[in-house]
Amino acid sequence: MRNTRRSLQAAVAVSAATVALAACSSQGGAQNEGGGAAAEGESYTIAMVTHEAPGDTFWDKIRAGAEAAAANHNITLNYSNNQDAGEQSTLLQNAIDQGVDGLATTLPTPDAVGPNVQKAVDAGIPTVAFNAGINDYRNYGVTMYFGSDEDLAGQTVGTKLAAESPGHTVCVIQEQGQVQLEARCAGVAKTQPDTEVLYVNGRDLPAVQQTIGAKLQEDPSIANVVALGADIALAAGQAKADSGSQANIATFDLNADVAQQIQDGGILFSVDQQPYVQGYMAVTSLWLNLTNGNDIGGGGPVLTGPSLVDESNIDTIVEYARNNTR
C-alpha cells in the first residue's frame, strides 16, 4: 500500500504538467533528459472513450489520472466522450479505424457499446474497461477492468444509513438505464430496504433540484436522499434547503464542493470510487501490456472503491479533492 501511495503521489506531481493539454486530445511525453525507460522507449497512442456528460466534474479526475499516466509513459492520449450510447459506440469505431495501440473504455450501456469493444479486441487492440460495466466487460473479450463494485458500494451506503439515519430513503438516478447507476440504488435497497428510486434528468441540474425539492415537499417523512454523483448531491442539498426538509444527504463520488460540505456537516458522507485511480490505472495497465505483456487482476476486476469519506477522514482528503486527484 505504501508503494502504491508513493506512485500516486508522484503521478499527482506529473499531472500538473499536463494542464496545457488540448481539451479532446492529450499529448503525453516523459521529458526526462537524463534518460529512462519511458523516455527512451517507443511512443504509443492510446484512445480513451467515455460516457462523460458535458459539465460533469467527475470526469475531470478521470482525465487527470489518465493524463498523468500518459505523461509518465511516453503515451499520446486521445480522449473522446459522449453520453449517448450510439455516439459512444461510434467513437469506439473511430478509435479502431485509427489503428490505436490501446483502448480504454467505459461500458455504461453494454448492449449498445459492447459490440464495438469486441471489434477492438478482435482487431488485436489491447483493450481495458473501467468505471462502468463491471459485470459485463468479460462478455466482450476484455480481460482487465478498473472500478468500483457498485452493488457493494450501494450496500455500504445502505448499511451506514441504517445505522446512522434510519428511515425512508430516496435514491436519485440521473441517467435511467445506465448499469452502474441502477446497481448503486439496488445495492442501497439491499441493506436499507425502505428505499425508493427517483429518476431525474441529470443533464438539467435546475430540473434535478426542482424534482428533488418537489419530492421532499410531498413527503416530509423522507429521512435520506442518496445522490449518485457530486453535482446531484449539491443540487439535492439546495433542494433540501429550499423545501425546509430535515433529510440527510449522502452521495456517491466526490469533488471539492462535496468534500467541503462533508467537512462542514452539510453532507453526511460520500462513497468514493476514486476516479483518478481509474484513469491512471487504465492507461498504465495498457502501457504495461504493450511493453511487458502484463495483465492485471487475473481476469477479475481491480477495485478502486468503495472508499468511504466522512467526518472521520475528510480533513485529510479535502486537500486532495481540491487538487482534483480525489
Side-chain angles (χ1 to χ4, degrees), residues 199-288:
Y199 290 104
V200 298
N201 178 8
R203 305 176 194 184
D204 184 349
L205 285 175
V208 170
Q209 181 179 321
Q210 291 170 5
T211 302
I212 295 173
K215 184 68 175 178
L216 290 172
Q217 288 182 328
E218 172 191 315
D219 186 358
S221 72
I222 294 171
N224 307 294
V225 175
V226 176
L228 304 189
D231 293 341
I232 306 301
L234 296 171
Q238 189 59 55
K240 170 186 172 179
D242 292 345
S243 67
S245 170
Q246 298 302 306
N248 284 312
I249 308 296
T251 189
F252 290 76
D253 300 336
L254 196 65
N255 66 13
D257 291 332
V258 167
Q260 190 64 55
Q261 284 284 310
I262 294 172
Q263 193 172 50
D264 294 342
I267 292 177
L268 197 60
F269 63 87
S270 169
V271 168
D272 185 25
Q273 59 180 303
Q274 302 186 109
Y276 181 92
V277 179
Q278 293 176 13
Y280 189 88
M281 289 305 299
V283 172
T284 299
S285 66
L286 286 169
W287 179 78
L288 286 168

Side-chain angles (χ1 to χ4, degrees), residues 167-191:
H168 187 53
T169 298
V170 173
C171 192
V172 183
I173 295 181
Q174 69 267 29
E175 290 282 351
Q176 186 170 0
Q178 287 196 359
V179 291
Q180 76 282 4
L181 302 182
E182 300 285 352
R184 286 177 173 182
C185 283
V188 172
K190 287 180 180 178
T191 49

Side-chain angles (χ1 to χ4, degrees), residues 4-324:
T4 300
R5 193 171 291 118
R6 289 193 194 101
S7 174
L8 290 177
Q9 288 170 343
V12 172
V14 173
S15 68
T18 67
V19 173
L21 298 177
C24 292
S25 179
S26 305
Q27 296 290 327
Q31 304 299 322
N32 182 353
E33 294 179 0
E40 296 172 358
E42 183 177 351
S43 176
Y44 295 98
T45 297
I46 288 176
M48 177 171 278
V49 181
T50 78
H51 60 282
E52 174 185 351
D56 188 342
T57 58
F58 171 86
W59 296 96
D60 296 342
K61 302 180 195 318
I62 295 276
R63 293 282 299 274
E67 289 167 354
N72 281 348
H73 300 306
N74 201 29
I75 288 166
T76 297
L77 179 69
N78 293 335
Y79 182 94
S80 61
N81 61 281
N82 201 298
Q83 73 270 31
D84 178 81
E87 294 296 332
Q88 186 186 359
S89 186
T90 298
L91 293 174
L92 289 168
Q93 183 64 57
N94 292 345
I96 297 169
D97 294 341
Q98 291 161 8
V100 296
D101 298 302
L103 173 64
T105 187
T106 59
L107 283 163
T109 47
D111 290 346
V113 175
N116 276 353
V117 173
Q118 183 72 63
K119 282 186 184 180
V121 172
D122 293 344
I125 299 173
T127 301
V128 303
F130 68 100
N131 179 260
I134 191 170
N135 296 319
D136 302 282
Y137 69 95
R138 297 182 193 87
N139 298 336
Y140 304 102
V142 177
T143 59
M144 290 188 282
Y145 181 91
F146 301 92
S148 184
D149 182 330
E150 301 295 6
D151 178 73
L152 175 61
Q155 292 187 55
T156 300
V157 169
T159 297
K160 190 168 177 65
L161 289 177
E164 298 182 10
S165 180
H168 187 53
T169 298
V170 173
C171 192
V172 183
I173 295 181
Q174 69 267 29
E175 290 282 351
Q176 186 170 0
Q178 287 196 359
V179 291
Q180 76 282 4
L181 302 182
E182 300 285 352
R184 286 177 173 182
C185 283
V188 172
K190 287 180 180 178
T191 49
Q192 173 74 346
D194 188 10
T195 296
E196 68 169 303
V197 170
L198 176 66
Y199 290 104
V200 298
N201 178 8
R203 305 176 194 184
D204 184 349
L205 285 175
V208 170
Q209 181 179 321
Q210 291 170 5
T211 302
I212 295 173
K215 184 68 175 178
L216 290 172
Q217 288 182 328
E218 172 191 315
D219 186 358
S221 72
I222 294 171
N224 307 294
V225 175
V226 176
L228 304 189
D231 293 341
I232 306 301
L234 296 171
Q238 189 59 55
K240 170 186 172 179
D242 292 345
S243 67
S245 170
Q246 298 302 306
N248 284 312
I249 308 296
T251 189
F252 290 76
D253 300 336
L254 196 65
N255 66 13
D257 291 332
V258 167
Q260 190 64 55
Q261 284 284 310
I262 294 172
Q263 193 172 50
D264 294 342
I267 292 177
L268 197 60
F269 63 87
S270 169
V271 168
D272 185 25
Q273 59 180 303
Q274 302 186 109
Y276 181 92
V277 179
Q278 293 176 13
Y280 189 88
M281 289 305 299
V283 172
T284 299
S285 66
L286 286 169
W287 179 78
L288 286 168
N289 184 270
L290 288 162
T291 60
N292 204 47
N294 295 116
D295 291 300
I296 300 173
V302 177
L303 297 184
T304 63
S307 177
L308 189 63
V309 180
D310 61 12
E311 62 181 1
S312 70
N313 59 1
I314 188 59
D315 290 343
T316 298
I317 290 173
V318 69
E319 279 301 315
Y320 299 129
R322 290 171 183 156
N323 291 337
N324 204 39

